[in-house]
């Protein structure tokens, strides 16, 4: 089945810093989503982005489907951005596969 | 529009017991997927239901089962609980299955 890798596994930032999270996947996908899991376990949708670029406030994401990777950019990070960021992909007709996540800690 | 709801939120069981978890999707969503999250294995897909039919199944033993009702609400059942079944169980709903998934708050299951 499709494999999903995320890097870095852990990231510690000072408040106000910028960061880039990466997601690599091993096969063609027709859906890719980025999620933020808060400390209570809730998975929150950030982007639905099988291709192209999207922006939402301080967050933006780019997926290059032909090269099988996606990037999540966080600018001017805040302590509330802390948590685990997951990318998840689905390959036509199959189920969603999640990456292992990037654990982000933003220090005040 | 109300979000995905899951009940109960927390559950403590002992080995050998069985448990039933419930998930109510967003109104109008017909696909419900279930995931198990553990520190060691991450987020793993259990199964997906669409219009009362299981459409996809992950690599879990037969002790894990589910069903979906005509109103799209879904239940999952774990029989003969093992210590390793302790996990956060998440359900997600979507309109048809492959587009944006919306997750519920999860059920934390502890097996003693």
């Amino acid at each position: 089945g499709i494999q999903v890798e995320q890097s870095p596994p852990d990231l510690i930032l000072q408040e106000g810093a910028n960061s880039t999270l990466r997601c690599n996947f091993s096969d063609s996908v027709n859906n890719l989503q980025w999620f933020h899991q808060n400390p209570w376990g809730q998975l929150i949708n950030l982007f639905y982005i099988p291709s192209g670029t999207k922006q939402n406030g301080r967050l933006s994401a780019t997926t290059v489907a032909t090269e099988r990777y996606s990037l999540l950019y966080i600018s001017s990070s805040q302590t509330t951005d802390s948590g685990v960021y997951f990318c998840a992909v689905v390959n036509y007709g199959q189920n969603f596969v999640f990456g292992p996540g990037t654990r982000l800690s933003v220090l005040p | 529009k109300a979000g995905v709801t899951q009940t109960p939120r927390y559950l403590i069981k002992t080995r050998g017991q069985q448990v039933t978890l419930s998930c109510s999707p967003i109104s109008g969503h017909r696909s419900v997927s279930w995931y198990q999250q553990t520190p060691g294995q991450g987020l793993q897909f259990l199964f997906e239901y669409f219009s009362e039919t299981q459409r996809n199944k992950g690599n879990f033993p037969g002790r894990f089962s589910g069903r979906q009702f005509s109103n799209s609400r879904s239940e999952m059942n774990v029989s003969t609980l093992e210590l390793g079944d302790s996990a956060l169980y998440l359900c997600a709903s979507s309109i048809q299955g492959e587009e944006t998934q919306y997750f519920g708050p999860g059920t934390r299951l502890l097996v003693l």
Side-chain angles (χ1 to χ4, degrees):
Chain A
I2 194 166
Q3 305 295 316
V4 182
E5 299 174 346
Q6 290 187 244
S7 60
D10 295 280
L11 189 57
I12 300 175
L13 298 174
Q14 208 67 38
E15 203 168 24
N18 303 328
S19 60
T20 301
L21 283 57
R22 187 177 179 104
C23 171
N24 293 330
F25 42 96
S26 62
D27 203 347
S28 301
V29 299
N30 64 319
N31 187 345
L32 186 148
Q33 284 187 251
W34 283 97
F35 296 91
H36 174 217
Q37 188 169 40
N38 65 23
W40 297 273
Q42 175 77 58
L43 275 164
I44 299 161
N45 285 296
L46 296 176
F47 294 101
Y48 165 78
I49 186 164
S51 64
T53 297
K54 289 187 178 180
Q55 179 152 10
N56 184 3
R58 297 181 296 103
L59 273 59
S60 64
T62 295
T63 297
V64 184
T66 53
E67 297 188 22
R68 298 180 184 168
Y69 73 89
S70 183
L71 302 174
L72 177 68
Y73 306 96
I74 305 174
S75 64
S76 304
S77 57
Q78 301 174 357
T79 55
T80 51
D81 294 331
S82 297
V84 184
Y85 289 81
F86 291 99
C87 78
V89 303
V90 66
N91 186 349
Y92 306 87
Q94 305 301 311
N95 52 274
F96 271 84
V97 176
F98 278 77
T102 291
R103 182 174 298 276
L104 174 65
S105 300
V106 181
L107 306 178
Chain B
K1 214 181 231 188
V4 179
T5 59
Q6 291 186 245
T7 57
R9 295 292 311 279
Y10 304 92
L11 208 47
I12 299 175
K13 292 285 189 179
T14 55
R15 277 180 299 175
Q17 288 187 308
Q18 74 164 20
V19 66
T20 299
L21 312 181
S22 180
C23 172
S24 292
I26 291 171
S27 177
H29 287 194
R30 295 166 64 191
S31 169
V32 174
S33 297
W34 288 89
Y35 298 84
Q36 181 196 64
Q37 186 176 27
T38 60
Q41 299 298 317
L43 271 154
Q44 292 187 288
F45 172 77
L46 280 157
F47 27 66
E48 182 215 0
Y49 285 87
F50 179 80
S51 292
E52 301 180 66
T53 301
Q54 188 181 85
R55 191 159 66 173
N56 274 310
K57 189 177 190 308
N59 189 23
F60 278 81
R63 300 185 297 107
F64 292 81
S65 62
R67 59 178 176 167
Q68 186 179 35
F69 302 95
S70 59
N71 62 356
S72 294
R73 188 177 71 86
S74 178
E75 290 181 347
M76 66 163 282
N77 184 275
V78 188
S79 63
T80 319
L81 283 166
E82 300 177 0
L83 296 179
D85 297 332
S86 295
L88 176 65
Y89 290 87
L90 293 158
C91 85
S93 77
S94 62
I95 296 172
Q96 299 265 27
E98 290 187 359
E99 60 293 280
T100 304
Q101 296 224 323
Y102 297 89
F103 279 81
T107 295
R108 289 193 183 274
L109 172 65
L110 177 61
V111 182
L112 301 175

